[in-house]
Amino acid sequence: MRLVEAIDVGRTVELPDAEPLTILRHVELAVDEGERVSIVGRSGSGKSTLLNLLGLIDSPSEGELRILGEDARRLRGARRDRVRGREIGFIFQQFNLLPGRTAIENVQTPLLYDGGASFWRRERIAREMLERVGLGERTDSRPERLSGGEQQRVAIARALVRRPRLILADEPTGALDLETGGTVMELIEEVAAETRAALVTITHDPAIARRADRHLRLSEGRLVPLDDAVPAGSPS
Protein backbone atom coordinates (compact mmCIF):
# COMPACT_ATOMS: atom_id res chain seq x y z
CA MET A 1 0.00 0.00 0.00
CA ARG A 2 1.21 3.51 -0.81
CA LEU A 3 1.41 5.52 2.42
CA VAL A 4 2.81 8.79 1.04
CA GLU A 5 2.33 10.36 -2.37
CA ALA A 6 3.37 13.90 -3.28
CA ILE A 7 2.60 15.14 -6.78
CA ASP A 8 4.11 18.44 -7.92
CA VAL A 9 4.04 19.71 -4.33
CA GLY A 10 5.34 23.19 -3.50
CA ARG A 11 5.57 25.25 -0.35
CA THR A 12 5.82 29.04 -0.34
CA VAL A 13 5.65 31.28 2.71
CA GLU A 14 4.74 34.96 2.86
CA LEU A 15 7.32 37.27 4.45
CA PRO A 16 6.68 40.72 5.89
CA ASP A 17 8.16 43.48 3.75
CA ALA A 18 9.74 40.98 1.34
CA GLU A 19 8.95 38.79 -1.62
CA PRO A 20 7.37 35.39 -0.85
CA LEU A 21 9.93 32.68 -0.13
CA THR A 22 9.63 29.44 -2.08
CA ILE A 23 11.04 26.59 0.01
CA LEU A 24 9.86 23.55 -1.96
CA ARG A 25 9.00 23.30 -5.63
CA HIS A 26 7.65 20.48 -7.83
CA VAL A 27 8.34 17.78 -5.22
CA GLU A 28 7.54 14.24 -6.36
CA LEU A 29 7.64 11.49 -3.75
CA ALA A 30 6.03 8.07 -3.31
CA VAL A 31 6.66 5.90 -0.24
CA ASP A 32 5.15 2.46 0.12
CA GLU A 33 4.28 0.46 3.22
CA GLY A 34 7.42 -0.94 4.82
CA GLU A 35 9.79 1.18 2.72
CA ARG A 36 12.83 2.99 4.14
CA VAL A 37 13.68 6.34 2.55
CA SER A 38 16.52 8.68 3.51
CA ILE A 39 16.68 12.35 2.55
CA VAL A 40 19.87 14.38 2.77
CA GLY A 41 20.42 18.06 2.04
CA ARG A 42 22.26 21.13 3.19
CA SER A 43 20.97 23.29 6.02
CA GLY A 44 18.16 25.50 4.78
CA SER A 45 17.32 23.22 1.85
CA GLY A 46 13.78 22.61 3.13
CA LYS A 47 14.15 19.16 4.69
CA SER A 48 12.23 20.03 7.87
CA THR A 49 9.56 21.82 5.83
CA LEU A 50 9.06 18.66 3.78
CA LEU A 51 8.82 16.55 6.94
CA ASN A 52 6.19 18.94 8.34
CA LEU A 53 4.12 18.51 5.19
CA LEU A 54 4.35 14.72 5.35
CA GLY A 55 3.38 14.84 9.02
CA LEU A 56 0.31 17.02 8.42
CA ILE A 57 1.75 19.85 10.49
CA ASP A 58 1.80 22.19 7.48
CA SER A 59 -0.06 22.17 4.16
CA PRO A 60 1.41 22.51 0.65
CA SER A 61 0.90 25.74 -1.23
CA GLU A 62 0.40 23.82 -4.46
CA GLY A 63 0.22 20.29 -5.78
CA GLU A 64 -1.40 17.17 -4.33
CA LEU A 65 -0.35 15.38 -1.16
CA ARG A 66 -1.85 12.06 -0.09
CA ILE A 67 -1.06 10.61 3.32
CA LEU A 68 -2.16 7.06 4.16
CA GLY A 69 -4.39 7.09 1.09
CA GLU A 70 -6.21 10.31 1.97
CA ASP A 71 -6.02 13.69 0.28
CA ALA A 72 -4.35 15.97 2.82
CA ARG A 73 -6.57 18.85 1.71
CA ARG A 74 -9.65 16.96 2.93
CA LEU A 75 -8.16 16.27 6.35
CA ARG A 76 -9.25 19.09 8.60
CA GLY A 77 -9.70 19.77 12.29
CA ALA A 78 -10.19 16.78 14.55
CA ARG A 79 -9.88 14.28 11.70
CA ARG A 80 -6.46 15.66 10.76
CA ASP A 81 -5.37 15.56 14.40
CA ARG A 82 -6.50 11.93 14.76
CA VAL A 83 -4.61 10.77 11.68
CA ARG A 84 -1.49 12.63 12.77
CA GLY A 85 -1.74 11.37 16.35
CA ARG A 86 -2.58 7.73 15.65
CA GLU A 87 -0.81 6.95 12.40
CA ILE A 88 2.29 9.18 12.28
CA GLY A 89 5.25 9.01 14.65
CA PHE A 90 7.59 12.01 14.82
CA ILE A 91 11.18 11.85 16.01
CA PHE A 92 12.14 15.51 16.36
CA GLN A 93 15.69 16.82 16.24
CA GLN A 94 14.90 19.14 19.19
CA PHE A 95 13.31 16.29 21.23
CA ASN A 96 10.28 18.44 22.30
CA LEU A 97 9.97 16.64 25.64
CA LEU A 98 7.51 17.98 28.21
CA PRO A 99 9.48 19.81 30.94
CA GLY A 100 8.80 18.76 34.48
CA ARG A 101 7.50 15.34 33.36
CA THR A 102 9.42 12.12 33.86
CA ALA A 103 10.67 9.99 31.00
CA ILE A 104 7.83 7.51 31.43
CA GLU A 105 5.25 10.31 31.59
CA ASN A 106 6.62 11.74 28.34
CA VAL A 107 6.46 8.37 26.60
CA GLN A 108 2.93 7.73 27.88
CA THR A 109 1.61 10.99 26.43
CA PRO A 110 0.56 9.65 22.99
CA LEU A 111 -1.29 6.76 24.67
CA LEU A 112 -3.53 9.16 26.59
CA TYR A 113 -5.49 9.63 23.34
CA ASP A 114 -6.00 5.90 22.80
CA GLY A 115 -9.05 3.96 23.81
CA GLY A 116 -9.34 0.51 25.27
CA ALA A 117 -6.41 -1.61 26.43
CA SER A 118 -3.65 0.75 25.28
CA PHE A 119 -4.97 3.53 27.50
CA TRP A 120 -5.25 1.36 30.59
CA ARG A 121 -1.89 -0.33 29.97
CA ARG A 122 -0.09 2.88 29.02
CA GLU A 123 2.41 2.82 31.89
CA ARG A 124 3.45 -0.76 31.18
CA ILE A 125 3.69 -0.13 27.41
CA ALA A 126 5.76 3.03 27.99
CA ARG A 127 8.06 1.24 30.42
CA GLU A 128 8.67 -1.59 27.95
CA MET A 129 9.52 0.88 25.19
CA LEU A 130 11.95 2.75 27.45
CA GLU A 131 13.63 -0.54 28.25
CA ARG A 132 14.01 -1.21 24.53
CA VAL A 133 15.89 2.07 24.06
CA GLY A 134 18.13 1.30 27.05
CA LEU A 135 16.50 3.61 29.59
CA GLY A 136 14.81 1.08 31.84
CA GLU A 137 16.56 2.56 34.89
CA ARG A 138 15.79 6.19 33.97
CA THR A 139 11.99 6.01 33.78
CA ASP A 140 11.48 8.45 36.68
CA SER A 141 14.07 11.00 35.51
CA ARG A 142 12.96 14.38 34.19
CA PRO A 143 14.46 15.83 30.98
CA GLU A 144 16.73 18.24 32.85
CA ARG A 145 18.32 15.23 34.57
CA LEU A 146 18.97 13.41 31.30
CA SER A 147 21.86 13.84 28.87
CA GLY A 148 21.17 14.94 25.30
CA GLY A 149 21.50 11.36 24.09
CA GLU A 150 19.13 10.10 26.77
CA GLN A 151 16.59 12.80 25.89
CA GLN A 152 16.78 11.74 22.26
CA ARG A 153 16.09 8.13 23.18
CA VAL A 154 13.06 9.21 25.23
CA ALA A 155 11.82 11.12 22.18
CA ILE A 156 12.31 8.03 20.02
CA ALA A 157 10.44 5.84 22.52
CA ARG A 158 7.56 8.34 22.54
CA ALA A 159 7.39 8.34 18.72
CA LEU A 160 7.29 4.55 18.50
CA VAL A 161 5.04 3.72 21.45
CA ARG A 162 1.83 3.75 19.37
CA ARG A 163 3.46 1.73 16.57
CA PRO A 164 2.59 4.26 13.86
CA ARG A 165 2.25 3.33 10.19
CA LEU A 166 4.44 6.25 9.09
CA ILE A 167 7.59 7.22 11.02
CA LEU A 168 9.17 10.61 10.27
CA ALA A 169 12.63 11.03 11.75
CA ASP A 170 14.52 14.34 11.74
CA GLU A 171 18.20 13.61 12.51
CA PRO A 172 17.22 10.77 14.88
CA THR A 173 20.81 10.02 15.94
CA GLY A 174 22.14 13.58 15.94
CA ALA A 175 22.84 13.65 19.70
CA LEU A 176 24.15 10.09 19.93
CA ASP A 177 27.60 8.59 19.60
CA LEU A 178 28.30 6.28 16.66
CA GLU A 179 27.69 3.00 18.48
CA THR A 180 24.53 4.17 20.26
CA GLY A 181 23.26 5.76 17.05
CA GLY A 182 23.56 2.45 15.21
CA THR A 183 21.75 0.63 18.01
CA VAL A 184 18.93 3.19 18.05
CA MET A 185 18.49 2.98 14.26
CA GLU A 186 18.26 -0.80 14.56
CA LEU A 187 15.48 -0.32 17.13
CA ILE A 188 13.58 2.14 14.92
CA GLU A 189 13.88 -0.23 11.97
CA GLU A 190 12.85 -3.21 14.09
CA VAL A 191 9.68 -1.52 15.36
CA ALA A 192 8.89 -0.28 11.84
CA ALA A 193 9.28 -3.80 10.47
CA GLU A 194 6.89 -5.23 13.06
CA THR A 195 4.04 -3.12 11.71
CA ARG A 196 5.24 -2.67 8.11
CA ALA A 197 5.53 1.06 8.82
CA ALA A 198 7.20 3.35 6.31
CA LEU A 199 10.27 5.17 7.64
CA VAL A 200 11.37 8.53 6.21
CA THR A 201 14.64 9.75 7.72
CA ILE A 202 16.30 13.13 7.33
CA THR A 203 19.98 12.86 8.14
CA HIS A 204 23.40 14.42 7.62
CA ASP A 205 25.06 11.09 8.42
CA PRO A 206 25.98 9.08 5.29
CA ALA A 207 26.08 5.87 7.36
CA ILE A 208 22.48 6.40 8.49
CA ALA A 209 21.40 7.34 4.95
CA ARG A 210 22.90 4.13 3.56
CA ARG A 211 20.59 2.04 5.78
CA ALA A 212 17.56 3.06 3.70
CA ASP A 213 16.14 1.27 0.67
CA ARG A 214 16.09 4.50 -1.31
CA HIS A 215 18.24 7.62 -1.04
CA LEU A 216 17.15 11.12 -2.05
CA ARG A 217 18.67 14.58 -1.88
CA LEU A 218 16.77 17.84 -1.42
CA SER A 219 18.47 20.50 -3.49
CA GLU A 220 17.15 23.94 -4.42
CA GLY A 221 13.72 22.91 -3.17
CA ARG A 222 13.52 19.79 -5.33
CA LEU A 223 13.86 16.10 -4.47
CA VAL A 224 16.35 14.27 -6.67
CA PRO A 225 17.51 10.64 -6.44
CA LEU A 226 21.01 9.73 -5.36
CA ASP A 227 23.00 6.82 -6.67
CA ASP A 228 22.22 3.39 -5.27
CA ALA A 229 24.82 3.97 -2.55
CA VAL A 230 25.59 7.14 -0.63
CA PRO A 231 29.38 7.54 -0.62
CA ALA A 232 30.91 7.90 2.81
CA GLY A 233 32.01 11.45 3.46
CA SER A 234 29.82 12.90 0.73
CA PRO A 235 28.40 16.38 1.46
CA SER A 236 24.91 16.41 2.91
Side-chain angles (χ1 to χ4, degrees):
M1 177 183 175
R2 182 145 295 172
L3 297 186
V4 173
E5 188 170 17
I7 303 170
D8 201 28
V9 162
R11 174 66 174 164
T12 300
V13 297
E14 299 292 332
L15 298 177
D17 304 320
E19 293 294 318
L21 175 63
T22 298
I23 303 173
L24 300 173
R25 64 188 78 219
H26 307 299
V27 168
E28 302 280 342
L29 176 65
V31 182
D32 293 333
E33 182 181 65
E35 191 174 10
R36 312 285 180 267
V37 176
S38 66
I39 300 174
V40 298
R42 298 184 183 280
S43 296
S45 62
K47 301 187 303 298
S48 295
T49 297
L50 176 59
L51 218 62
N52 286 342
L53 293 180
L54 300 181
L56 299 176
I57 293 175
D58 290 331
S59 299
S61 305
E62 57 188 23
E64 182 179 355
L65 178 63
R66 301 188 68 84
I67 303 295
L68 305 175
E70 299 196 52
D71 187 340
R73 291 171 298 189
R74 297 181 180 275
L75 292 171
R76 300 179 183 275
R79 171 63 179 160
R80 189 181 185 94
D81 292 341
R82 282 195 299 271
V83 171
R84 184 171 56 236
R86 292 178 180 175
E87 309 289 1
I88 302 174
F90 295 91
I91 302 174
F92 296 102
Q93 186 176 1
Q94 292 82 16
F95 315 143
N96 292 344
L97 299 181
L98 297 172
R101 302 289 183 88
T102 64
I104 196 168
E105 287 171 338
N106 268 278
V107 175
Q108 284 184 68
T109 301
L111 298 173
L112 294 173
Y113 303 96
D114 275 350
S118 294
F119 176 83
W120 297 109
R121 296 175 58 243
R122 61 189 183 279
E123 183 174 345
R124 176 181 172 183
I125 295 170
R127 190 177 302 277
E128 289 173 350
M129 187 58 71
L130 282 168
E131 289 174 354
R132 292 186 71 175
V133 298
L135 293 177
E137 297 181 356
R138 302 288 273 158
T139 58
D140 295 325
S141 298
R142 290 178 169 80
E144 61 270 19
R145 298 290 185 178
L146 299 172
S147 68
E150 288 172 331
Q151 290 183 51
Q152 189 144 28
R153 280 185 278 167
V154 172
I156 289 168
R158 181 183 59 190
L160 301 181
V161 73
R162 295 184 81 173
R163 299 183 178 274
R165 296 174 64 193
L166 173 62
I167 301 170
L168 304 175
D170 187 357
E171 297 288 355
T173 62
L176 306 176
D177 59 65
L178 185 62
E179 181 178 356
T180 304
T183 300
V184 164
M185 281 306 300
E186 288 176 4
L187 169 66
I188 295 172
E189 291 162 354
E190 178 184 333
V191 174
E194 290 172 2
T195 56
R196 292 285 296 162
L199 172 61
V200 179
T201 304
I202 284 177
T203 181
H204 285 88
D205 186 341
I208 298 300
R210 279 196 298 267
R211 301 178 70 102
D213 305 317
R214 187 150 50 97
H215 317 108
L216 304 172
R217 180 183 297 277
L218 193 55
S219 177
E220 297 182 348
R222 299 174 184 264
L223 268 183
V224 295
L226 290 174
D227 294 334
D228 291 341
V230 180
S234 65
S236 59

